[in-house]
Amino acid sequence: MEELTRQGELNMAWEKVRDEEKAIAMAAIIAATEAHDAAAERQREIKISGTLSTRNKAKMTGLDSAKPPKGSILVHLLALSVMGFVVTAHGKLPEVSAVQNDTPNAPPAFYILGDSSVDCGDNTLFYPLVHSFLSLYSCNGSSDASLIPHLLAGKMGMPSVLPFYSQQNGSIDGILRGLNFGSAQATIMNPSGQSYQSINQQLRQVFDSMQLLQLQLSQDVALHFIRSSIFYLSFGKDDYINLYLRHASSSSGAEKPKNSDQEFSHILANQMIHVIRNLYDMNVRRIICMGILPLGCTPRMLFDHHNSSSTNSNSEPGDEEDDDVRSGCVEEINEQVSEYNKVLHQQIGKLHAELPDAHIVFCDVYKGIRKIINNPKRYGFEDVKSACCGLGMYGAAIGCLSKEMACQQDSSHVWWDLYNPTKGVNSLLADSAWNGFPLSRICRPTTIKELLSTSTTTAAAAAPVSHPPT
């Protein structure tokens, strides 16, 4: 892991070096890493008796994660030689801009896949033109930094995770730091004619990126890097918003889903398991899979439910709210989301038995947000129904089209806009996912902090992936 971290730092320093010089430098680093691993292995075999067969077995995989001896300096010397080469070629030492990561067990990179729960539109081409009924400012009027995966990246000591489309220059520098493949309104399902991205497109981007790593690094180094990295998945919310709930309530003659509520939930969950298997085939071993938030509690769902109830009962605006609205949630919608979360969690449990070397954590954000809504004052919130940024009833008739529309104290609101929580809620969820407090056991079977300490060493070497995901 330490060799890979040093390699990442050197990559940052080589940004202005010509491509042919980068190739020579990379070859020197890889040779140094391999020589260092061989020397470290010999010292461990001498020092620790009775474990020779185990060490040899681990060595075959190229994934032995034991800490190298403190006295070893071979890699440092060769790294200095490489930097000397760079100085000779350019007359000065390039500045190193990599962020030093002192977090224990920090992963070499953090990769994010998802929908509007991971992207505010920065990673979505022509987002203002295709945002449909969503907000133009869906992240507290700021950047992705207010979203759960980016808050978790900070806890891991990682630098900001850049959008995938900002790194299309053919180099592996961005890949080595981690990427956000997520796109607002991305869905698990991929119906024809949609203007937004599907999970399969993001999966293909991940495949191409991992292929590039294997082409430019040695196979063993790339394999160790991929298996040690963390992959974050957060999908499903926009499937329900775009492909199910809006069609189901449409009065414009739009095609309605052919599946029942339960069937739809199972289809989505099974597709997510298929995605996890595809990532496993790419040698990914550490995965965070997020459930869907309580969609029935969002301001827009309350707004739509109120309008629907008023139309059906011929009641006037301002009449007394029904039981669902008074409770702050439309339970019929939440039951659909809960079914998806339950099935996904169960299927992940089965994967643990089937893929024992995979470490998959399921995080139940539904459970976390319901705890906040049921006892808002305990967690420092006052308004559990209305959006901080929006207009009309519950701030949900019109989304957040301007930062000036926002309330003065978003910290007192659970919801920022139509469907998205405020940064305060996301911070609580990120804290709880990280260490299990203050919202206990929303991530299972371990916290994300504990996930970082898991070993990715296996008994058999994996072959490089040569075919795209299916």
Side-chain angles (χ1 to χ4, degrees), residues 173-464:
D173 293 349
I175 302 174
L176 289 171
R177 301 181 193 123
L179 289 173
N180 181 7
F181 299 92
S183 176
Q185 286 188 273
T187 56
I188 299 173
M189 306 292 281
N190 187 26
S192 59
Q194 73 176 25
S195 59
Y196 33 88
Q197 201 179 59
S198 73
I199 193 172
N200 288 335
Q201 291 169 291
Q202 294 184 30
L203 203 58
R204 182 56 191 255
Q205 292 168 356
V206 173
F207 172 79
D208 292 341
S209 299
M210 299 305 104
Q211 284 285 89
L212 187 58
L213 278 182
Q214 293 188 34
L215 288 172
Q216 296 201 29
L217 304 177
S218 73
Q219 181 179 327
D220 286 348
V221 171
L223 182 62
H224 192 173
F225 186 92
I226 295 169
R227 290 191 171 200
S228 300
S229 297
I230 302 290
F231 287 73
Y232 180 101
L233 305 175
S234 181
F235 287 92
K237 180 181 76 171
D238 289 291
D239 285 271
Y240 280 99
I241 294 172
N242 295 324
L243 306 179
Y244 191 81
L245 297 175
R246 294 188 77 226
H247 285 302
S249 62
S250 174
S251 59
S252 60
E255 182 181 356
K256 293 179 172 59
K258 298 178 181 179
N259 309 106
S260 68
D261 296 345
Q262 190 175 54
E263 289 173 338
F264 188 72
S265 300
H266 284 239
I267 289 171
L268 293 182
N270 289 335
Q271 284 293 104
M272 284 299 298
I273 295 300
H274 183 68
V275 168
I276 293 174
R277 291 182 186 278
N278 270 291
L279 288 173
Y280 182 88
D281 289 341
M282 296 181 206
N283 296 313
V284 174
R285 292 297 181 268
R286 301 204 285 185
I287 299 172
I288 301 167
C289 190
M290 308 298 286
I292 303 175
L293 53 71
L295 199 58
C297 303
T298 59
R300 182 67 189 201
M301 291 302 169
L302 287 176
F303 176 81
D304 287 344
H305 179 76
H306 180 273
N307 286 345
S308 175
S309 299
S310 299
T311 300
N312 294 336
S313 63
N314 295 319
S315 60
E316 295 296 328
D319 283 357
E320 187 175 350
E321 298 173 327
D322 64 20
D323 291 340
D324 270 347
V325 175
R326 274 197 299 272
S327 69
C329 299
V330 182
E331 297 305 339
E332 180 184 356
I333 296 174
N334 280 340
E335 287 172 5
Q336 299 173 36
V337 173
S338 294
E339 180 67 16
Y340 165 83
N341 289 336
K342 182 185 76 173
V343 174
L344 181 58
H345 185 212
Q346 291 173 346
Q347 296 280 27
I348 288 174
K350 294 178 181 179
L351 277 185
H352 284 141
E354 181 182 338
L355 310 172
D357 61 328
H359 303 279
I360 309 168
V361 172
F362 173 77
C363 292
D364 193 351
V365 293
Y366 178 100
K367 176 182 177 182
I369 293 180
R370 286 308 298 259
K371 283 186 175 181
I372 294 172
I373 290 175
N374 292 338
N375 196 356
K377 291 185 178 180
R378 177 180 179 180
Y379 300 101
F381 297 96
E382 297 177 7
D383 193 327
V384 301
K385 297 180 183 180
S386 299
C388 172
C389 190
L391 296 176
M393 181 176 288
Y394 307 118
I398 298 175
C400 187
L401 302 180
S402 168
K403 297 177 184 179
E404 285 69 32
M405 294 170 60
C407 61
Q408 292 184 348
Q409 291 186 328
D410 61 271
S411 59
S412 66
H413 284 252
V414 169
W415 303 105
W416 166 255
D417 69 348
L418 306 179
Y419 300 107
N420 299 295
T422 56
K423 184 177 181 180
V425 171
N426 284 336
S427 295
L428 276 177
L429 293 171
D431 289 343
S432 304
W434 177 252
N435 59 21
F437 182 83
L439 304 167
S440 62
R441 287 189 55 78
I442 66 169
C443 290
R444 302 182 290 273
T446 67
T447 64
I448 293 175
K449 186 177 182 180
E450 290 168 337
L451 174 66
L452 266 59
S453 64
T454 56
S455 171
T456 56
T457 303
T458 58

